Amino acid sequence: GAGVSQSPSNKVTEKGKDVELRCDPISGHTALYWYRQSLGQGLEFLIYFQGNSAPDKSGLPSDRFSAERTGGSVSTLTIQRTQQEDSAVYLCASSLSGNYGYTFGSGTRLTVV
Amino acid sequence: QKEVEQDPGPLSVPEGAIVSLNCTYSNSAFQYFMWYRQYSRKGPELLMYTYSSGNKEDGRFTAQVDKSSKYISLFIRDSQPSDSATYLCAMSGGGSNYKLTFGKGTLLTVNP
């Protein structure tokens, strides 16, 4: 695609429910990242995928968070048993290997009530 | 001390003003420096990308990196109302992990 596509753009969920956030990166971009942006906070790194290598999961805040990337393309971030502190904008980005200039999607705004 | 410090503002300037945005950092391993612009309810958009120390110019935008002082700047000349956005600095140490560390962002408003 022309850009990084994320869905849904907005998600309201009840505390304790599971949610899945989807990211479709730019075609040909081998690197894919998930970041979280909370109100008044900077972007917080969550997870990084590069080609077929094992992902860097060092930023995931708890074991309720997981992510996968199928076929080196689409990625899904799953949050289980959501908590109110999970409310944030979840941003996905992709880049060519070796390129630090990411292209971000518009994000999924998650609200846990 | 956070790895990257950025004054959140808000910063309000008249149209045509020169804007200076800054970040300081503590990690001497950082080698790659970027500035992103983020409009409300949109994802960040890469503006400038610099490796190591020095200046880089692109139109009305100039990025400066001073590694000895651990200080980076973004200058916007002849600012326009369309420049109103949040500006985020970001940096990385290189190597095989391309994870970026971001500042919290500075909210800029350019008034017509």
Side-chain angles (χ1 to χ4, degrees):
Chain A
V4 177
S5 178
Q6 291 188 246
S7 61
S9 55
N10 285 284
K11 177 72 176 179
V12 180
T13 191
E14 292 180 353
K15 179 181 172 181
K17 300 281 191 183
D18 297 352
V19 294
E20 283 190 354
L21 312 179
R22 177 188 167 102
C23 173
D24 199 343
I26 292 173
S27 178
H29 280 191
T30 56
L32 186 147
Y33 309 79
W34 285 96
Y35 280 78
R36 177 168 72 175
Q37 187 173 32
S38 304
L39 191 63
Q41 301 297 315
L43 274 74
E44 173 190 7
F45 168 77
L46 297 177
I47 190 168
Y48 159 64
F49 296 91
Q50 173 56 53
N52 295 320
S53 303
D56 176 352
K57 303 180 182 180
S58 61
L60 294 179
S62 77
D63 58 8
R64 295 186 296 105
F65 288 73
S66 63
E68 63 176 19
R69 188 178 184 190
T70 53
S73 181
V74 172
S75 177
T76 302
L77 176 68
T78 301
I79 308 173
Q80 295 180 310
R81 304 181 303 281
T82 51
Q83 302 295 313
Q84 287 188 326
E85 61 262 28
D86 299 334
S87 297
V89 177
Y90 290 81
L91 291 160
C92 175
S94 69
S95 72
L96 292 168
S97 177
N99 189 332
Y100 288 83
Y102 303 171
T103 299
F104 279 91
S106 291
T108 293
R109 185 173 299 272
L110 175 67
T111 303
V112 181
V113 297
Chain B
Q1 182 187 14
K2 289 185 67 70
E3 276 195 299
V4 179
E5 300 276 4
Q6 183 175 10
D7 186 340
L11 182 61
S12 181
V13 302
E15 183 175 354
I18 296 174
V19 176
S20 172
L21 303 166
N22 312 292
C23 288
T24 59
Y25 63 94
S26 58
N27 188 343
S28 58
F30 287 146
Q31 299 180 62
Y32 297 86
F33 304 90
M34 279 135 280
W35 286 95
Y36 283 82
R37 177 175 62 195
Q38 186 175 24
Y39 292 114
S40 180
R41 302 206 166 241
K42 296 290 187 183
E45 165 196 4
L46 181 65
L47 268 182
M48 301 287 284
Y49 174 106
T50 310
Y51 170 70
S52 194
S53 285
N55 294 356
K56 185 172 184 179
E57 188 172 323
D58 184 0
R60 297 184 295 110
F61 298 90
T62 299
Q64 287 186 352
V65 175
D66 182 348
K67 290 188 70 179
S68 62
S69 300
K70 297 190 178 68
Y71 187 88
I72 70 171
S73 300
L74 177 71
F75 297 95
I76 307 174
R77 291 182 299 281
D78 187 25
S79 55
Q80 303 295 308
S82 58
D83 296 329
S84 298
T86 296
Y87 289 80
L88 300 153
C89 63
M91 45 199 80
S92 178
S96 60
N97 187 329
Y98 301 103
K99 178 173 65 176
L100 294 183
T101 302
F102 284 83
K104 289 187 178 182
T106 300
L107 177 61
L108 171 68
T109 301
V110 181
N111 301 297

